[in-house]
Amino acid sequence: MDLLSKTVDSLWQVVAVGLLLGAGLPAIFALGLRALDSGSTTDPAAATTTRKPAAVIAAGTCFAVVVVAIITGILFVMQGFLSHTFGIEIF
Amino acid sequence: MNAELIVLLVVVVTALGFDFTNGFHDTGNAMATSIATGALKPKVAVALSAILNLVGAFLSVEVAATVAKGVVNLNSVGGEDLLFIVFAGLVGGIIWNLATWLFGIPSSSSHALFGGLIGAALASLGMNGVEWGGVLSKVVIPALLAPVVAGLVATAGTWMIYRITRGVSDETKDSGFRLGQVGSASLVSLAHGTNDAQKTMGVIFLALVAHGTLNADSDMPFWVKLSCAVAIALGTYLGGWRVIRTLGKGLVEIAAPQGMAAEASSAAIILTSSHLGLPLSTTHVATGSIMGTGVGRRGAEVRWGVAGRMAVAWLITLPSAALVGAVCWGIAQLIGGLPGVLAVFAILLLLAGWMYARSRRQPIDSSNVNAEWDGGLIPAEDIPGPPANPTPAPAPAAEPAPRDNVTA
């Protein structure tokens, strides 16, 4: 039953992290898009879009979180390479 | 040049061939959704994925000769016996990869390789050649869990995305999520290159050790890394359009928000699961994620018939590849030595050529990969591509495509 407990142990972690990052990050991204959309008014005649600063900041924060997460993901893929080649331990 | 060296060369070439099929079979895991939603033009998508696979392959650091460690037990054999097993296993993996590609079924390349090796090991070493506990924990259980976990995460992500962006203009949604989709798909491609290219590197390393060129403590030679990286990137660039079509169009009709939910789910699960030692297959995760986005979006249709065929293919991947691996080992052993290896290699080339010719009768490529899903993999003629992607012209079939059993 060692196999079962080991599998269950890593399984719940994969589900938890998966939900947090795999579903949470797209949700944050969606929040950013919503902030961007709701804070902007488009003037069709002048073909310009004006945005409220607060909305832009909120959207920018959301997108920044997602970008940081993606960079972290890339570093995660590279961690073996970095520690093996340059001796840098990042995680 | 002696016979042993030629055997080694054939094994290395076959390993690179497997790496190549691994690349084109798995392009869809990362890029099918981006292609289906029009976030990237088909050719651009496969080129991006190929570059990231190439980079990813160089990032892998597997140094030890651990091929399918814990699944097959190859410690007791060495020399030519070991080369025979590895060779037969590779042939089993390639043939199964090509067969599933012909039918447009995304199936795990790792399972195909494991299956081939298990079959060859069983045939040569008997029951002792296979570690059944490892088969259960590294192959069977992950295969059952992956689609469920990925489906769950993608369903949750899709549901939240649609809820949050209710009322947001379609234009903002489309352009925004397409960008997010490309980002997350790129991450999947990079992770794929890192994980999958090193499997072939391990196989070639093992072959070199068996031949005596290297010892088990040597560093991975640079030419092995380079050739594996190039093989998987070329395969990815060629694009397994048939598999891409099934994943992007066949399972679920995907919109950009769903595409991002699917790829984000795949990326998160692939990265965390390999870190936590639960070896989930990229293919199973990607497929589960795509199905999840269909479940999570109200009104979206999941084609359970397509999903069912896929599930059947997953179930029989291991035994089928094992059977081919065992038969190939038997043929090579029966004829013996260099002629045996060359005979099996010839069979491999013949079968691969036949399946390629078969695929050309009803070609699927970048021009018709997004054609309307009309009950089967082969698009009906005269149906233009969907508006999401303006480039593809109607399928330019070289001859009237007979709708035979490939479409079933």
Side-chain angles (χ1 to χ4, degrees):
Chain A
M1 282 299 96
D2 181 44
L3 172 66
L4 185 70
S5 62
K6 232 181 109 185
T7 305
V8 170
D9 190 44
S10 35
L11 180 65
W12 77 260
Q13 294 182 61
V14 170
V15 172
V17 180
L19 282 173
L20 190 71
L21 300 178
L25 285 172
I28 293 175
F29 190 82
L31 278 175
L33 282 183
R34 182 177 171 161
L36 207 59
D37 192 66
S38 64
S40 65
T41 43
T42 306
D43 180 1
T48 54
T49 305
T50 49
R51 295 199 165 100
K52 289 185 200 141
V56 174
I57 291 170
T61 311
C62 290
F63 294 145
V65 169
V66 175
V67 168
V68 167
I70 288 182
I71 292 173
T72 311
I74 294 172
L75 289 174
F76 205 75
V77 174
M78 290 177 69
Q79 63 172 334
F81 175 76
L82 288 175
S83 72
H84 186 255
T85 316
F86 303 112
I88 306 170
E89 299 286 346
I90 40 174
F91 290 103
Chain B
M1 192 181 272
N2 58 16
E4 277 173 23
L5 190 61
I6 299 175
V7 170
L8 177 67
L9 276 177
V10 173
V11 173
V12 170
V13 168
T14 312
L16 291 175
F18 174 79
D19 203 26
F20 181 81
T21 64
N22 191 345
F24 83 75
H25 211 287
D26 291 0
T27 318
N29 294 341
M31 288 301 166
T33 60
S34 300
I35 292 171
T37 63
L40 291 171
K41 291 212 172 83
K43 286 277 189 190
V44 176
V46 293
L48 175 64
S49 186
I51 292 168
L52 290 166
N53 267 284
L54 187 75
V55 173
F58 279 107
L59 293 179
S60 57
V61 287
E62 195 69 49
V63 279
T66 52
V67 176
K69 193 183 174 198
V71 176
V72 284
N73 184 5
L74 301 177
N75 293 334
S76 59
V77 282
E80 194 172 69
D81 292 342
L82 181 56
L83 280 178
F84 268 46
I85 295 173
V86 171
F87 174 65
L90 285 167
V91 173
I94 293 176
I95 289 176
W96 183 250
N97 266 353
L98 288 176
T100 46
W101 159 75
L102 185 61
F103 288 93
I105 296 171
S107 69
S108 167
S109 299
S110 321
H111 282 200
L113 178 60
F114 284 176
L117 287 170
I118 287 172
L122 266 180
S124 64
L125 306 170
M127 294 302 268
N128 292 333
V130 180
E131 296 184 17
W132 295 105
V135 174
L136 193 63
S137 66
K138 287 180 195 258
V139 183
V140 178
I141 292 177
L144 295 174
L145 292 178
V148 179
V149 173
L152 183 77
V153 172
T155 304
T158 308
W159 185 80
M160 284 198 286
I161 284 180
Y162 274 98
R163 223 183 140 72
I164 291 168
T165 57
R166 206 158 37 184
V168 175
S169 72
D170 280 347
E171 203 183 316
T172 310
K173 252 200 301 205
D174 270 356
S175 57
F177 282 117
R178 279 181 188 175
L179 203 66
Q181 193 183 2
V182 174
S184 42
S186 299
L187 202 51
V188 175
S189 287
L190 190 69
H192 182 265
T194 312
N195 287 330
D196 280 33
Q198 79 183 13
K199 276 179 211 140
T200 311
M201 292 180 202
V203 171
I204 296 180
F205 191 91
L206 189 70
L208 292 169
V209 172
H211 177 257
T213 314
L214 295 177
N215 66 56
D217 300 322
S218 308
D219 271 337
M220 182 72 73
F222 180 74
W223 67 265
V224 176
K225 271 194 172 187
L226 179 69
S227 53
C228 287
V230 169
I232 201 166
L234 274 180
T236 307
Y237 181 69
L238 192 76
W241 299 109
R242 305 173 94 82
V243 180
I244 293 175
R245 178 163 161 72
T246 302
L247 276 174
K249 298 297 289 183
L251 266 182
V252 181
E253 289 294 334
I254 292 177
Q258 291 168 288
M260 180 178 181
E263 297 309 329
S265 157
S266 299
I269 292 172
I270 290 164
L271 291 179
T272 47
S273 66
S274 68
H275 186 65
L276 292 168
L278 193 67
L280 302 185
S281 148
T282 315
T283 306
H284 296 163
V285 170
T287 312
S289 292
I290 291 173
M291 281 199 283
T293 62
V295 175
R297 182 188 179 188
R298 205 185 301 173
E301 178 200 7
V302 180
R303 297 197 185 91
W304 294 106
V306 178
R309 276 178 60 202
M310 230 178 259
V312 171
W314 292 357
L315 283 178
I316 61 175
T317 290
L318 198 85
S320 311
L323 188 66
V324 181
V327 169
C328 289
W329 183 85
I331 295 173
Q333 191 69 17
L334 201 66
I335 302 173
L338 178 61
V341 169
L342 289 179
V344 173
F345 193 65
I347 293 172
L348 171 66
L349 291 181
L350 275 175
L351 276 173
W354 180 75
M355 282 191 269
Y356 178 74
R358 221 18 236 249
S359 79
R360 294 312 297 166
R361 279 167 54 187
Q362 293 156 318
I364 291 176
D365 51 32
S366 58
S367 69
N368 62 352
V369 65
N370 272 342
E372 214 53 51
W373 188 267
D374 185 30
L377 176 69
I378 310 301
E381 284 173 279
D382 308 322
I383 295 177
N389 193 333
T391 36
E399 59 196 64
R403 294 176 63 89
D404 63 8
N405 58 355
V406 177
T407 57

